[in-house]
């Protein structure tokens, strides 16, 4: 008997629909689900209606029209949201999706049903007809994340909002933000780079809507200079009397009180059940012997056999206990756990492993710690190292592959994240960072939720990401609101406006290109408020000559692409940069 070949269309329908992360458990059925103008979202309980409301918002944002949320029986073409706590096999984030005459999404929790709707949105990104079939989709790891150091420098809120939406769209659930919230208790610490509490509340609310837990970090006891540069009384001082503005003196009760008061102030804004204290690179490039007070503190507290490292661990544990008293878990980086201590870190502390040191991930897990993989190979550093996502994909990288050790089991591994650092703050603009980030974000989503290598080649995996596109509500921050040309900016100046490849503009006059080039540098960025804008020799590679034209009533604001400060005009006519909450930005009509 001769068997006729299966038509190409039928073969295609047998494959799982294209999503990121990829579906690995797809049972095809005959027919298809059709989304149309009569589609409704059926949801009865409070948990179901919350998921349905977010889905309705996103369908509208994605251009699929306004879809009503209703109670009661479903009809053909409807989307059914179903939260069934008894479906324990789905876990807290898994879901079942069934496409037929109607489409149903079932989760044991609201979070699980929510992730099912992310898959639905990706399926609809390719058209209103979805092949009939069923999938049960459960994440392999509980922590799937991105870390952003908006430390020292300022990363714009629209950029962070885009990130939250993209993370949720790809089923990532944890955003670590190392950043400064403008302090009411310690105004001496409010150097620029900060965010207002209202700005962060807005971001946290978006994260809660999209099931992205936003975990704050104030790095300590090292890297504290954004907080203590104006507090010399809290700075660690060596035996020569030289103060270290980046290091907190962990032997001083006032230093601990200062740090925990900042934690308490952050609790007014952040709702996460985790706190990250950093705890990395405290004595980078230094010898504890130059700080005899550290050893004395340790020995006074733990006896003559104590080491200077015990004083460091003691500080970590005291921060842990303060957080635990508020119902919050502690997270730290791994490099401070060198094995030189005799006092252990509290074992319910999550260790985020980024650097290969003497104490390996397997040892930490054996000692009872939960370990997250935040490998250096997953780093994206402005003006520096960039993760080779293609190579990682080709290696079938997964969260068991730590720096210095590949584990045979996922036991004790919470998950993994990519990390963004601003070491050379002017090395790249936000928009340039985004171009690098999206492939890395999709890869970490795939590696933490599903199988690490769903497609034969990296090019095919990239095409998968392109097919699902960006999240509903994602804003194209590279759009310039005016055409290239010569404009007069109010009564201030006339300049040629030209779009840059990364979606900003340069302003060129006979005197040169408008730039911020003076003032004190932090991470190679002039972050000093009040610095005057100058007309410098034009240089297409100089990111400090790139500007965002921000629409405002009556014209446009000018925001520097790197410093993220807006220009204002002083009484004597000078054009200077200031944080927008310190001086109202100038608004220029363009003619």
């Amino acid at each position: 008997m001769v068997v006729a070949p299966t038509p190409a269309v039928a073969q295609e329908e047998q494959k799982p629909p294209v999503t990121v992360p990829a579906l690995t458990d797809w049972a095809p059925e005959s027919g298809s689900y059709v989304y149309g103008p009569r589609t409704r979202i059926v949801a009865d309980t409070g948990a179901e209606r919350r998921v349905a409301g977010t889905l309705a918002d996103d369908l509208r944002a994605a251009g699929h029209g306004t879809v009503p949320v209703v109670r009661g029986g479903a009809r053909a073409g409807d989307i059914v949201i179903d939260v069934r706590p008894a479906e324990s096999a789905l876990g807290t984030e898994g879901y079942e999706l069934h496409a037929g005459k109607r489409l149903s999404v079932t989760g044991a929790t609201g979070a699980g049903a929510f992730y099912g709707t992310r898959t639905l949105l990706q399926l609809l990104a390719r058209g209103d007809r979805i092949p009939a079939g069923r999938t049960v989709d459960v994440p392999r790891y509980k922590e799937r994340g991105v870390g952003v150091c908006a430390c020292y420098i300022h990363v714009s809120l629209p950029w962070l909002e885009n990130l939250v939406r993209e993370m949720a769209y790809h089923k990532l659930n944890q955003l670590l933000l190392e950043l400064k919230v403008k302090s009411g208790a310690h105004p001496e610490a409010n150097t620029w780079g900060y965010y207002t509490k209202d700005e962060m509340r807005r971001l946290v609310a978006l994260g809660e809507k999209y099931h992205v837990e936003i975990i704050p970090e104030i790095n300590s006891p090292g890297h504290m200079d954004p907080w203590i540069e104006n507090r010399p009384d809290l700075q660690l001082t060596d035996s020569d009397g030289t103060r270290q503005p980046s290091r907190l003196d962990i032997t001083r009760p006032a230093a601990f009180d200062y740090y925990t008061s900042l934690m308490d102030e952050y609790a007014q804004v952040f709702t996460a059940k985790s706190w990250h204290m950093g705890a990395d690179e405290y004595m980078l490039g230094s010898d504890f012997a130059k700080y005899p007070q550290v050893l004395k503190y340790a020995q006074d507290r733990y006896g003559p056999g104590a080491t200077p490292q015990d004083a460091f661990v003691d500080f970590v544990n005291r921060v842990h206990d303060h957080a635990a008293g508020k119902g919050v878990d502690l997270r730290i980086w791994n490099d401070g756990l060198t094995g030189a201590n005799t006092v252990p870190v509290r074992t319910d502390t999550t260790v985020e492993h980024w650097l290969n040191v003497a104490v390996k991930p397997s040892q930490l897990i054996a000692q009872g710690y939960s370990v997250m993989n935040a490998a250096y190979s997953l780093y994206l550093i402005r003006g520096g190292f960039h993760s080779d996502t293609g190579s990682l994909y080709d290696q079938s990288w997964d969260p068991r592959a730590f720096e210095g050790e590949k584990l045979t089991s996922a036991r004790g591994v919470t998950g993994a994240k990519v990390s963004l650092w601003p070491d050379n703050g002017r090395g790249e603009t936000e928009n340039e960072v985004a171009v690098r980030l999206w492939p890395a974000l999709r890869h970490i989503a795939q590696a933490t939720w599903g199988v690490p290598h769903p497609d034969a080649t990296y090019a095919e995996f990239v095409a998968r990401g392109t097919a699902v596109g960006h999240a509903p509500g994602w804003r194209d921050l590279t759009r310039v609101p005016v055409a290239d040309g010569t404009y007069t900016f109010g009564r201030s100046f006339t300049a040629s406006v030209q779009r840059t490849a990364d979606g900003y503009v340069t302003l060129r006059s006979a005197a040169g290109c408008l730039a911020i080039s003076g003032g004190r540098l932090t991470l190679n960025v002039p972050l000093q408020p009040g610095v005057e804008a100058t007309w410098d020799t034009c240089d297409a590679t100089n990111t400090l000559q790139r500007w965002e034209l921000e629409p405002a009533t009556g014209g446009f604001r000018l925001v520097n692409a790197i410093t993220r400060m807006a220009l204002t005009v002083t009484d004597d006519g000078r054009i200077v940069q200031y944080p927008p909450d310190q001086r109202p930005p100038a608004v220029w009509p363009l003619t």
Side-chain angles (χ1 to χ4, degrees):
M1 181 178 74
V2 178
V3 178
T6 304
V9 173
Q11 290 179 10
E12 186 66 26
E13 288 179 350
Q14 298 298 309
K15 296 180 180 179
V18 174
T19 60
V20 181
L23 300 174
T24 56
D25 176 46
W26 176 257
E29 299 175 4
S30 61
S32 59
Y33 165 79
V34 180
Y35 178 92
R38 297 185 70 246
T39 293
R40 308 173 304 167
I41 304 174
V42 179
D44 292 326
T45 70
E48 291 165 356
R49 292 181 71 81
R50 282 190 292 273
V51 174
T54 300
L55 175 60
D57 290 344
D58 290 337
L59 287 168
R60 185 168 53 252
H64 297 299
T66 300
V67 184
V69 177
V70 301
R71 290 184 169 90
R75 66 194 186 196
D78 283 350
I79 298 166
V80 180
I81 306 298
D82 202 355
V83 176
R84 298 182 187 174
E87 299 287 342
S88 57
L90 295 174
T92 58
E93 295 181 305
Y95 66 92
E96 179 179 354
L97 183 147
H98 181 218
K101 291 187 177 180
R102 64 178 67 95
L103 188 144
S104 64
V105 173
T106 303
T109 67
F114 170 81
Y115 287 121
T117 65
R118 302 306 94 182
T119 296
L120 169 59
L121 287 165
Q122 290 191 8
L123 298 178
L124 290 174
R126 308 193 74 192
D128 289 344
R129 186 177 294 272
I130 297 172
R134 185 186 305 269
T135 185
V136 174
D137 196 20
V138 179
R140 292 176 180 245
Y141 293 90
K142 70 176 184 179
E143 294 185 339
R144 309 175 302 277
V146 177
V148 176
C149 188
C151 45
Y152 302 95
I153 69 166
H154 183 95
V155 177
S156 71
L157 200 61
W159 196 94
L160 292 173
E161 290 171 336
N162 265 356
L163 176 58
V164 168
R165 293 179 184 276
E166 287 287 277
M167 289 177 65
Y169 191 55
H170 295 87
K171 303 185 179 72
L172 295 169
N173 64 359
Q174 186 187 97
L175 172 58
L176 172 65
L177 279 182
E178 182 181 345
L179 80 171
K180 177 185 282 188
V181 175
K182 189 175 182 180
S183 175
H186 301 286
E188 73 278 7
N190 291 332
T191 52
W192 176 240
Y194 61 74
Y195 298 82
T196 66
K197 290 177 180 174
D198 283 345
E199 285 176 325
M200 280 300 102
R201 289 188 181 107
R202 171 176 148 189
L203 189 67
V204 167
L206 186 69
E208 290 179 336
K209 177 178 180 179
Y210 285 101
H211 293 266
V212 174
E213 183 181 33
I214 299 178
I215 298 175
E217 176 185 350
I218 297 178
N219 205 340
S220 66
H223 297 295
M224 277 289 286
D225 38 322
W227 293 99
I228 63 171
E229 61 178 317
N230 296 323
R231 290 295 302 271
D233 56 309
L234 302 179
Q235 296 170 9
L236 186 65
T237 305
D238 67 18
S239 53
D240 297 326
T242 303
R243 297 188 182 278
Q244 305 296 319
S246 67
R247 297 176 188 159
L248 197 63
D249 188 343
I250 55 179
T251 70
R252 293 178 57 83
F256 177 76
D257 292 344
Y258 178 76
Y259 184 77
T260 53
S261 73
L262 293 172
M263 292 176 66
D264 294 344
E265 195 167 7
Y266 272 48
Q268 301 170 13
V269 175
F270 293 95
T271 59
K273 292 303 180 183
S274 291
W275 173 266
H276 205 307
M277 68 170 292
D280 67 307
E281 301 180 329
Y282 179 51
M283 294 300 289
L284 183 67
S286 286
D287 186 345
F288 271 118
K290 292 194 68 175
Y291 305 91
Q293 71 271 36
V294 177
L295 176 60
K296 181 179 186 304
Y297 175 92
Q299 292 178 335
D300 287 347
R301 192 167 179 87
Y302 297 107
T307 70
Q309 197 76 14
D310 289 327
F312 167 79
V313 171
D314 171 79
F315 183 80
V316 171
N317 284 342
R318 284 186 288 147
V319 171
H320 167 282
D321 294 348
H322 184 85
K326 311 286 186 180
V328 172
D329 297 327
L330 186 67
R331 309 176 76 93
I332 62 173
W333 302 111
N334 78 295
D335 61 282
L337 304 182
T338 62
N341 52 298
T342 67
V343 177
V345 170
R346 304 275 192 265
T347 53
D348 58 347
T349 300
T350 297
V351 179
E352 299 193 2
H353 191 281
W354 71 279
L355 187 66
N356 182 20
V357 296
V359 180
K360 304 300 182 187
S362 58
Q363 294 171 276
L364 292 169
I365 291 169
Q367 292 166 11
Y369 297 100
S370 295
V371 180
M372 186 187 202
N373 194 333
Y376 186 85
S377 62
L378 300 172
Y379 276 22
L380 296 168
I381 299 174
R382 284 197 188 194
F385 173 80
H386 290 94
S387 176
D388 187 344
T389 303
S391 176
L392 293 173
Y393 182 84
D394 289 340
Q395 297 166 31
S396 293
W397 184 96
D398 73 30
R400 297 172 300 143
F402 289 87
E403 298 291 341
E405 185 178 38
K406 175 70 178 283
L407 303 181
T408 58
S409 168
R411 184 186 63 84
V413 180
T414 66
K417 69 162 170 259
V418 295
S419 300
L420 280 63
W421 302 97
D423 294 30
N424 176 7
R426 73 167 76 172
E428 292 164 277
T429 62
E430 292 179 359
N431 289 345
E432 288 173 320
V433 171
V435 171
R436 297 274 193 170
L437 173 60
W438 302 141
L441 182 148
R442 290 168 179 141
H443 172 251
I444 202 69
Q446 182 65 55
T448 53
W449 182 282
V451 296
H453 199 274
D455 299 303
T457 67
Y458 179 61
E460 291 174 280
F461 180 71
V462 170
R464 175 184 292 273
T466 301
V468 303
H470 287 294
W474 178 85
R475 292 172 55 190
D476 182 1
L477 301 179
T478 69
R479 296 184 65 181
V480 175
V482 300
D484 285 5
T486 300
Y487 297 88
T488 298
F489 285 70
R491 299 180 180 179
S492 296
F493 58 88
T494 297
S496 170
V497 174
Q498 184 171 7
R499 187 189 188 277
T500 62
D502 54 348
Y504 300 98
V505 298
T506 55
L507 305 179
R508 183 190 295 260
S509 74
C513 286
L514 192 67
I516 297 292
S517 54
R520 190 182 66 168
L521 297 180
T522 303
L523 297 186
N524 205 25
V525 177
L527 291 181
Q528 184 178 337
V531 169
E532 188 169 356
T534 53
W535 296 95
D536 296 352
T537 301
C538 292
D539 179 357
T541 67
N542 186 351
T543 55
L544 291 169
Q545 294 182 2
R546 299 179 197 174
W547 298 88
E548 180 180 341
L549 278 172
E550 186 178 272
T553 301
F556 298 89
R557 303 183 188 96
L558 277 173
V559 179
N560 188 267
I562 296 297
T563 72
R564 302 309 307 175
M565 281 186 269
L567 295 184
T568 189
V569 181
T570 63
D571 292 341
D572 59 0
R574 292 178 300 116
I575 300 174
V576 297
Q577 68 170 4
Y578 268 100
D581 67 313
Q582 291 186 20
R583 297 276 183 92
V587 176
W588 280 281
L590 268 58
T591 57

